[in-house]
Amino acid sequence: MSDALSDGGSDIQQDDSHEDVMTPAELIAKLEEAWLNEKFSPELLENKSEVVECVMEQLTHMEANLQRVKKGDAKASIHHMEIDRIRFVLSSYLRSRLWKKEKSRGEGDASLLSPEEFAFAKEYYANTETYLKAVALKRMPPNLQTVDMLQSVPEPCLDSFVFLRVKERQENILVEPETDDQREYVVDLEEGSQHLMRYRTIAPLVSSGAVQLI
């Protein structure tokens, strides 16, 4: 991973104000973490547009460098496979977010979206409403020709169970009972441990980066 990306350029400065420098390998690790979290979480998470933009820039550098590699060089085929793998992860991450927006209530929380995602959500919602009215609602009885689009879309199931890996030790995590005859209890999550838990319980930890969905 890091060898393939090192051909793409120097380290990435992600935040000029804090001068945080991220190596290409660390950048791809961030992308993979965002991808897995988005893929396995039942709700739409905060966008990682800075990571996406940096990865796309690195891919451009890598492809440009591969053009200068001699034909028949074994490294070229390995780097091509790595580029394809990174593109798959990036595309899958973006598709997961678009799929959730298509299934969500309207434009949703704009703070979670990139400008491009917000424009897509707004246009998709408007087109869906227009299509529904043109194809179905206008043929319905007058008292049934209105529909609340926001109420017609179910909310994500935050009580679904997810697998997770703990990145930072967490203490006194409150776990809700599964049945009426059980009581609430607290657990400590040790770094490196893996668990199967209700998403609602660990959602804040996913947002903070303390745990990663797997």
Side-chain angles (χ1 to χ4, degrees), residues 20-89:
D20 292 333
V21 177
M22 185 181 301
T23 66
E26 292 172 340
L27 175 65
I28 299 305
K30 285 286 186 182
L31 174 64
E32 292 176 339
E33 180 180 352
W35 169 52
L36 292 175
N37 284 342
E38 196 68 65
K39 182 178 181 180
F40 295 122
S41 69
E43 65 176 346
L44 186 71
L45 303 177
E46 183 180 3
N47 79 87
K48 303 295 183 182
S49 57
E50 291 185 358
V51 173
V52 170
E53 292 173 2
C54 288
V55 169
M56 294 179 66
E57 181 180 347
Q58 282 296 298
L59 286 172
T60 300
H61 286 308
M62 291 171 65
E63 291 174 336
N65 286 339
L66 282 177
Q67 298 298 322
R68 299 194 293 268
V69 176
K70 296 181 180 179
K71 293 183 178 181
D73 191 334
K75 292 183 179 179
S77 60
I78 296 176
H79 288 183
H80 271 299
M81 288 189 293
E82 181 65 6
I83 289 175
D84 290 340
R85 190 188 72 84
I86 296 171
R87 284 196 178 279
F88 169 80
V89 173

Side-chain angles (χ1 to χ4, degrees), residues 19-205:
E19 297 184 353
D20 292 333
V21 177
M22 185 181 301
T23 66
E26 292 172 340
L27 175 65
I28 299 305
K30 285 286 186 182
L31 174 64
E32 292 176 339
E33 180 180 352
W35 169 52
L36 292 175
N37 284 342
E38 196 68 65
K39 182 178 181 180
F40 295 122
S41 69
E43 65 176 346
L44 186 71
L45 303 177
E46 183 180 3
N47 79 87
K48 303 295 183 182
S49 57
E50 291 185 358
V51 173
V52 170
E53 292 173 2
C54 288
V55 169
M56 294 179 66
E57 181 180 347
Q58 282 296 298
L59 286 172
T60 300
H61 286 308
M62 291 171 65
E63 291 174 336
N65 286 339
L66 282 177
Q67 298 298 322
R68 299 194 293 268
V69 176
K70 296 181 180 179
K71 293 183 178 181
D73 191 334
K75 292 183 179 179
S77 60
I78 296 176
H79 288 183
H80 271 299
M81 288 189 293
E82 181 65 6
I83 289 175
D84 290 340
R85 190 188 72 84
I86 296 171
R87 284 196 178 279
F88 169 80
V89 173
L90 180 61
S91 298
S92 180
Y93 169 71
L94 296 176
R95 284 197 304 268
S96 295
R97 293 187 58 81
L98 291 181
W99 182 84
K100 288 182 180 180
K101 280 311 305 170
E102 292 174 358
K103 303 297 181 182
S104 64
R105 297 189 171 196
E107 298 163 13
D109 187 350
S111 65
L112 299 177
L113 306 175
S114 66
E116 295 79 10
E117 290 174 334
F118 181 78
F120 168 82
K122 187 174 183 179
E123 183 177 0
Y124 181 86
Y125 177 75
N127 290 342
T128 300
E129 188 174 19
T130 300
Y131 178 79
L132 181 60
K133 290 179 179 179
V135 173
L137 293 181
K138 71 177 184 179
R139 294 177 171 81
M140 303 290 284
N143 61 325
L144 298 176
Q145 289 187 1
T146 58
V147 61
D148 189 340
M149 295 291 292
L150 297 181
Q151 295 299 325
S152 64
V153 179
E155 294 184 354
C157 181
L158 302 184
D159 289 322
S160 59
F161 284 82
V162 294
F163 287 98
L164 62 104
R165 178 185 298 111
V166 182
K167 298 176 60 180
E168 301 173 5
R169 189 176 188 276
Q170 303 294 315
E171 297 180 349
N172 300 326
I173 302 301
L174 181 64
V175 178
E176 298 179 356
E178 299 297 329
T179 60
D180 294 337
D181 57 348
Q182 293 180 338
R183 296 181 179 179
E184 295 179 340
Y185 61 95
V186 295
V187 297
D188 294 337
L189 305 180
E190 300 296 335
E191 181 179 352
S193 61
Q194 299 182 18
H195 305 268
L196 174 63
M197 301 181 67
R198 195 189 302 272
Y199 177 78
R200 187 187 301 273
T201 302
I202 51 89
L205 303 180

